Amino acid sequence: ADLDLAPWLPYMPVALPFKPSRGKLATQLQLQFSLAADGTPRVSLRGKASLADAALVAAGNANTPAVAWQRLDVALADVQPLARKIALGDVTLAGAQIDARRSADGRINLVPAATPSPAPGASAPANNNAAWQISVAKVALTQARIDWRDAGTRPAAALRAEPVELQVSALRWPFAAPVPFKLSARLNALDTPSSTAAEPATLTLEGSASDRAADARVDLQALELAWLQPYLAASLAARLEGRVSAKATLAWTASETAQIKLGEVSAQLDQAKLVDGPKGRTPLTVGSIALGDASVDLAARQVNVDTLKIERPSLALTRDAQGRWNFEQWARTEKTPDARNTQTAAPWTVKLGELQ
């Protein structure tokens, strides 16, 4: 029979950043003890374990689970704690529900608070043990739901990814080589009336990654820019609407300044319009904007576009009695920072091959 964790939860350490609030544990394990020829003890654990109908709550918020799931299945191929080796078979997490939130002061509920740094002059305890070696044959996340609520924007952002599917194969730690992965999700806005809800967008990433580098193909289809309005509002006083689709390759390399490059970029923005003012005026509309064979180097601040095609653009310019043009009010302007405290960044360079 499954072991209900509820009676044991009061004995959990108080200082944990996340604590279980429910769950049912089932195991089928085989434990072996042996001695090597030199007298070194060996402990090996094999079998399988599952944790069903479980939830974790963050410290200080015991009412709302930060993470919950229907079932977690773990196959233990060969776990040797004395040798600091963990070899797992398939690890499957089904029906996970993740409630991610950022507060107005920037704190994210899924990120534990930083521990205080050691006092100056204090030495860390010596660690002469070998590093842990961990391997997992396959990791699968199925039928997951991720909710993101961000109180740090105005208005607050609320997005949902459901279902989220993730597969990772031949995972090793420390990394011996990049591991293959595939991620797919459907994206939508949260807290939207059903009468105005749009069709979900789709996102797919497939490639390989390690702790030092990653390469992937990205495919994003039918993302509504209105869902990103809380983030766009930091730069745009007017509201930008439209539906964007894009495909690209993504390359990331770890270094002192992370190297991120996008290649083979093809993107299209359909039914774009800029909504200005409380009356909902649309001084700028575009039937579609299409990028062909573009590349972006974030570290070098370079953009190369082979072709740019714009269809059915419409622009209505107005000027008020004070001589201000309407387009001057679409972007938000920030106070110029003190030049003495600001390091000048290299300007972006943009190259365009053909405009249609």
Side-chain angles (χ1 to χ4, degrees):
D2 295 348
L3 175 64
D4 190 348
L5 299 182
W8 307 95
L9 297 180
Y11 299 97
M12 298 295 296
V14 176
L16 291 177
F18 297 96
K19 296 196 297 184
S21 61
R22 66 174 189 265
K24 295 181 179 180
L25 177 67
T27 61
Q28 186 176 344
L29 302 173
Q30 180 182 11
L31 184 62
Q32 294 180 338
F33 296 91
S34 62
L35 285 176
D38 60 357
T40 302
R42 180 178 182 273
V43 177
S44 176
L45 186 64
R46 294 184 171 95
K48 57 184 180 181
S50 67
L51 184 59
D53 187 24
L56 300 176
V57 295
N61 187 6
N63 296 324
T64 304
V67 181
W69 62 86
Q70 295 175 2
R71 188 174 182 87
L72 171 64
D73 290 306
V74 180
L76 288 72
D78 188 8
V79 177
Q80 301 181 33
L82 299 183
R84 304 174 75 85
K85 295 180 179 180
I86 299 177
L88 303 179
D90 290 356
V91 177
T92 303
L93 181 62
Q97 297 180 8
I98 301 172
D99 182 25
R101 299 171 180 261
R102 189 176 75 147
S103 60
D105 59 5
R107 290 179 297 176
I108 298 176
N109 65 329
L110 298 182
V111 179
T115 56
S117 302
S123 59
N127 184 5
N128 298 321
N129 294 320
W132 282 90
Q133 299 180 40
I134 303 173
S135 66
V136 186
K138 180 180 177 182
V139 177
L141 179 69
T142 65
Q143 295 295 311
R145 186 185 78 196
I146 302 175
D147 289 345
W148 170 250
R149 291 179 172 86
D150 191 349
T153 62
R154 291 292 180 270
L159 300 170
R160 169 171 288 179
E162 181 186 27
V164 180
E165 307 279 341
L166 173 65
Q167 290 189 353
V168 180
S169 302
L171 180 61
R172 300 287 187 275
W173 180 267
F175 281 95
V179 298
F181 71 90
K182 182 176 182 180
L183 170 71
S184 65
R186 292 166 68 88
L187 311 175
N188 213 328
L190 266 176
D191 307 327
T192 301
S194 58
S195 59
T196 60
E199 288 294 320
T202 60
L203 173 65
T204 302
L205 287 88
E206 186 170 5
S208 60
S210 71
D211 58 338
R212 303 297 301 171
D215 291 282
R217 296 199 67 86
V218 184
D219 187 344
L220 175 66
Q221 297 295 319
L223 177 70
E224 296 285 347
L225 290 181
W227 302 341
L228 305 180
Q229 178 58 29
Y231 298 100
L232 298 176
S235 302
L236 287 175
R239 189 171 74 252
L240 181 61
E241 296 182 0
R243 185 181 301 109
V244 65
S245 298
K247 294 182 179 181
T249 61
L250 170 65
W252 167 78
T253 305
S255 61
E256 291 184 3
T257 57
Q259 306 291 317
I260 302 177
K261 296 180 180 180
L262 296 173
E264 302 177 28
V265 179
S266 62
Q268 182 159 327
L269 174 61
D270 293 317
Q271 301 175 9
K273 61 181 179 180
L274 204 62
V275 182
D276 185 24
K279 295 182 179 180
R281 296 185 299 268
T282 55
L284 175 62
T285 62
V286 182
S288 69
I289 302 174
L291 290 176
D293 196 16
S295 63
V296 181
D297 187 332
L298 294 182
R301 303 171 73 86
Q302 294 179 350
V303 178
N304 293 308
V305 180
D306 186 39
T307 60
L308 174 61
K309 185 177 182 180
I310 303 175
E311 294 185 349
R312 303 185 306 280
S314 175
L315 175 63
L317 292 178
T318 60
R319 190 169 65 166
D320 61 19
Q322 288 74 38
R324 295 175 300 183
W325 291 95
N326 58 341
F327 64 83
E328 296 178 308
Q329 304 173 48
W330 294 344
R332 296 191 188 278
T333 57
E334 298 180 357
K335 294 181 179 179
T336 303
D338 188 343
R340 295 171 299 178
N341 301 326
T342 303
Q343 183 177 0
T344 303
W348 280 87
T349 60
V350 180
K351 296 181 180 180
L352 175 61
E354 181 181 0
L355 175 62
Q356 300 179 4

